[in-house]
Amino acid sequence: SYELIQPPSVSVSPGQTASITCSGDKLGDRFASWYQQKPGQSPVLVIYQDRKRPSGIPERFSGSNSGNTATLTISGTQALDEADYYCQAWDSSTVIFGGGTKLTVL
Amino acid sequence: QAQLQESGPGLMKPSETLSLTCAVSNYSISSGYYGGWIRQPPGKGLEWIGSIYHSGSTYCNPSLKSRVTISVDTSKNQFSLKLNSVTAADTAVYYCARQKDGSGYYFDYWGQGILVTVSS
């Protein structure tokens, strides 16, 4: 079955750029989406179709997808960006989520 | 904007059948979106359960398919999940979400989630 692999944790200093990766076989051949989840809250879509931002998502969130890796990039990371982030793709009529990455802003 | 609200029991006993409903508002369930169910065990990641189109066609996680039934009621603008023979491993927050048809099948709106605990 298809798998998406994310690093368990990423740390970044305030104001710096955070990059969270999501790896899967030929992931670049399919669309990747990203969700942000803060403690006790529902996930929020922050990137869809590799690089598109839903209305209301700050411009500092961006995405890319090529080869076997999709990347969520947060520029000028703020303390309020501290959260869990999940990638998601669609394969053979199945939704797949990555295991999630905890982003720590310190 | 779209709103989704889960409802159902918060506490169940092993071997029972879990039944959840997702009431949708501010958009029609027949307007070209899927309705999806996703769950999250305490302290763990997201797990997709399954999705349904307004026509009734469904997709399910192969690991849960034998226990899952997803249905839709377009007249009530809602969709439902049944998970039978629950065990403690099914304890989780269950979310319903609106899922875009095609081009990534992403979930753009989520309900607040409902915690379901399975315990004897």
Side-chain angles (χ1 to χ4, degrees):
Chain A
S1 61
Y2 196 80
E3 286 187 284
L4 294 175
I5 306 300
Q6 298 181 235
S9 62
V10 168
S11 297
V12 63
S13 299
Q16 299 303 302
T17 296
S19 294
I20 300 173
T21 58
C22 175
S23 299
D25 184 48
K26 298 180 181 178
L27 180 55
D29 290 346
R30 59 199 90 216
F31 282 118
S33 304
W34 290 91
Y35 303 87
Q36 176 194 69
Q37 186 180 35
K38 297 182 179 180
Q41 297 184 18
S42 302
V44 173
L45 179 70
V46 294
I47 293 289
Y48 66 99
Q49 293 178 0
D50 297 339
R51 59 181 66 248
K52 296 180 179 180
R53 277 180 295 105
S55 173
I57 300 302
E59 290 184 11
R60 64 179 181 274
F61 288 86
S62 62
S64 63
N65 186 14
S66 179
N68 294 324
T69 304
T71 303
L72 173 68
T73 302
I74 309 173
S75 304
T77 306
Q78 300 181 12
L80 58 83
D81 298 327
E82 187 163 286
D84 293 327
Y85 290 85
Y86 296 89
C87 60
Q88 177 249 311
W90 172 263
D91 176 76
S92 301
S93 302
T94 302
V95 171
I96 303 100
F97 285 103
T101 298
K102 181 175 181 57
L103 177 68
T104 302
V105 182
L106 40 69
Chain B
Q1 60 183 27
Q3 292 186 331
L4 300 96
Q5 179 68 59
E6 306 88 351
S7 62
L11 181 62
M12 303 187 62
K13 296 186 184 303
S15 80
E16 292 182 334
T17 295
L18 168 65
S19 293
L20 298 175
T21 296
C22 181
V24 162
S25 57
N26 296 339
Y27 81 98
S28 170
I29 208 165
S30 301
S31 60
Y33 293 94
Y34 281 84
W37 289 99
I38 303 100
R39 70 180 183 179
Q40 185 172 36
K44 297 188 177 181
L46 302 172
E47 179 182 32
W48 174 68
I49 299 170
S51 301
I52 188 164
Y53 203 54
H54 63 82
S55 62
S57 64
T58 58
Y59 298 104
C60 287
N61 188 323
S63 67
L64 297 169
K65 189 173 184 177
S66 63
R67 296 196 291 135
V68 167
T69 302
I70 300 176
S71 59
V72 63
D73 187 336
T74 54
S75 66
K76 294 182 178 179
N77 219 31
Q78 65 185 34
F79 56 101
S80 301
L81 168 70
K82 289 189 187 298
L83 178 67
N84 59 36
S85 304
V86 298
T87 69
D90 295 310
T91 294
V93 175
Y94 285 75
Y95 297 100
C96 62
R98 190 176 83 167
Q99 184 179 21
K100 181 65 178 175
D101 177 18
S103 300
Y105 291 89
Y106 54 89
F107 299 96
D108 59 353
Y109 288 95
W110 295 62
Q112 66 182 27
I114 182 169
L115 174 61
V116 177
T117 302
V118 181
S119 174
S120 55

